């Protein structure tokens, strides 16, 4: 199966679900991204800042670039001119820096709050209490150049369907709680980014709106 065939197969699976495909392009050379673009992909996910910045220069301007890996505040300036969504927002400090750098370019950067839902402690993310603490702060409420549009999470890497679906369900409940409590009436707070190559079907069943797929499209990363 070619990259184009794989993307078409995903688009067919997503038709009618309301969910969209983030093509995870990390580690792959620009030629493969061009193939994905030619096949209709418009949302690309990368986890390294320098790599995304270099690739962005070589692809058409209508690509939506999503940062999906942990982002250090000192690297925000390299993404600020072009990044569409930072899916890995894990602190107020990062939001403040995104706001500051986006303002310099007269832009608004979208953010997803990344929550820790997996059993492994290596997977980063916020607890609900941490997120609520900063959502209530005056510092957060003063931001004008970042817009939170939803949540993101990475489930435990496991073949145990009940476990993984339970984690996705927990993320959806966090989303619903935040939506009702802090974002009622904010139509753009609507994204639940969950599901990767191994578990996207379970994520879709639990209400994912963005699946992040790399290896099922490009093959395994070398
Ligand atoms: C690499 C990565 C993906 C894609 O993983 P695949 O298993 O290749 O689909 C999705 N989300 C995040 C956060 C990643 O780092």
């Amino acid at each position: 199966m070619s990259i184009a065939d794989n993307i078409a197969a995903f688009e067919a699976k997503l038709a009618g679900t309301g969910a969209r495909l983030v093509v995870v392009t990390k580690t792959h050379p620009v030629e493969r991204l061009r193939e994905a673009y030619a096949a209709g992909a418009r949302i690309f996910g990368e986890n390294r800042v320098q790599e995304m910045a270099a690739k962005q220069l070589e692809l058409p301007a209508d690509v939506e670039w999503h940062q999906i890996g942990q982002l250090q505040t000192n690297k925000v300036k390299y993404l600020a001119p072009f990044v569409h969504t930072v899916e890995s927002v894990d602190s107020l400090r990062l939001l403040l820096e995104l706001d500051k750098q986006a303002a310099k370019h007269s832009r608004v950067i979208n953010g997803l709050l990344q929550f820790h839902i997996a059993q492994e402690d290596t997977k980063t993310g916020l607890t609900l209490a941490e997120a609520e603490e900063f959502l209530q702060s005056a510092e957060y409420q003063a931001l004008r150049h970042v817009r939170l549009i939803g949540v993101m999470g990475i489930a435990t890497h496991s073949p145990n369907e009940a476990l993984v679906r339970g984690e996705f369900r927990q993320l959806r409940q966090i989303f619903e709680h935040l939506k009702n409590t802090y974002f009622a009436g904010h139509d753009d707070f609507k994204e639940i980014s969950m599901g990767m190559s191994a578990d996207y079907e379970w994520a879709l069943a639990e209400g994912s709106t963005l699946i992040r797929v790399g290896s099922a499209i490009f093959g395994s990363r070398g």
Side-chain angles (χ1 to χ4, degrees):
M1 293 268 278
S2 67
I3 292 170
D5 291 338
N6 291 336
I7 288 175
F10 271 98
E11 293 300 351
K13 281 181 201 143
L14 292 179
T17 66
R20 292 175 300 151
L21 175 66
V22 178
V23 177
V24 175
T25 52
K26 64 189 186 197
T27 76
H28 297 295
V30 162
E31 302 79 73
R32 308 192 92 197
L33 277 67
R34 290 210 183 92
E35 263 183 83
Y37 183 90
R42 289 296 179 274
I43 312 178
F44 288 176
E46 287 277 338
N47 65 346
R48 295 225 179 102
V49 171
Q50 277 90 340
E51 191 177 332
M52 183 179 344
K55 287 172 171 173
Q56 181 265 336
L57 294 173
E58 303 206 46
L59 277 125
D62 63 343
V63 170
E64 261 187 33
W65 294 94
H66 285 212
Q67 168 70 18
I68 60 169
Q70 197 169 28
L71 178 57
Q72 291 167 355
T73 50
N74 62 357
K75 303 228 169 120
V76 169
K77 57 180 177 287
Y78 303 113
L79 296 185
F82 68 89
V83 73
H84 182 276
T85 299
V86 174
E87 296 206 9
S88 47
V89 174
D90 59 0
S91 67
L92 176 59
R93 197 165 148 255
L94 177 57
L95 276 177
L96 296 174
E97 182 65 14
L98 284 165
D99 188 76
K100 180 173 145 194
Q101 297 298 336
K104 291 185 183 166
H105 300 278
S106 305
R107 299 186 66 230
V108 174
I109 295 175
N110 296 313
L112 301 182
L113 294 173
Q114 182 175 353
F115 286 94
H116 180 86
I117 55 170
Q119 286 187 327
E120 297 111 326
D121 352 300
T122 49
K123 293 188 175 146
T124 53
L126 295 157
T127 64
L128 180 58
E130 287 166 344
E132 294 203 86
E133 187 181 322
F134 72 69
L135 290 172
Q136 288 164 13
S137 71
E139 271 177 302
Y140 163 72
Q141 286 165 16
L143 302 181
R144 294 293 172 266
H145 294 271
V146 283
R147 170 172 52 217
L148 291 178
I149 61 167
V151 301
M152 183 270 234
I154 304 171
T156 302
H157 183 66
S158 165
N160 180 337
E161 177 171 356
L163 172 73
V164 172
R165 285 185 66 152
E167 293 172 356
F168 289 146
R169 199 168 311 134
Q170 185 196 343
L171 184 63
R172 195 187 67 218
Q173 285 162 355
I174 290 171
F175 168 82
E176 281 163 6
H177 171 73
L178 295 177
K179 174 90 188 164
N180 294 333
T181 312
Y182 303 96
F183 298 95
H186 293 229
D187 292 342
D188 42 20
F189 192 85
K190 62 179 169 52
E191 304 293 359
I192 307 175
S193 175
M194 58 186 188
M196 320 194 341
S197 295
D199 56 17
Y200 69 87
E201 282 170 329
W202 296 337
L204 289 170
E206 297 297 341
S208 175
T209 69
L210 290 170
I211 57 170
R212 308 178 307 271
V213 180
S215 47
I217 290 171
F218 294 109
S220 62
R221 289 176 289 276

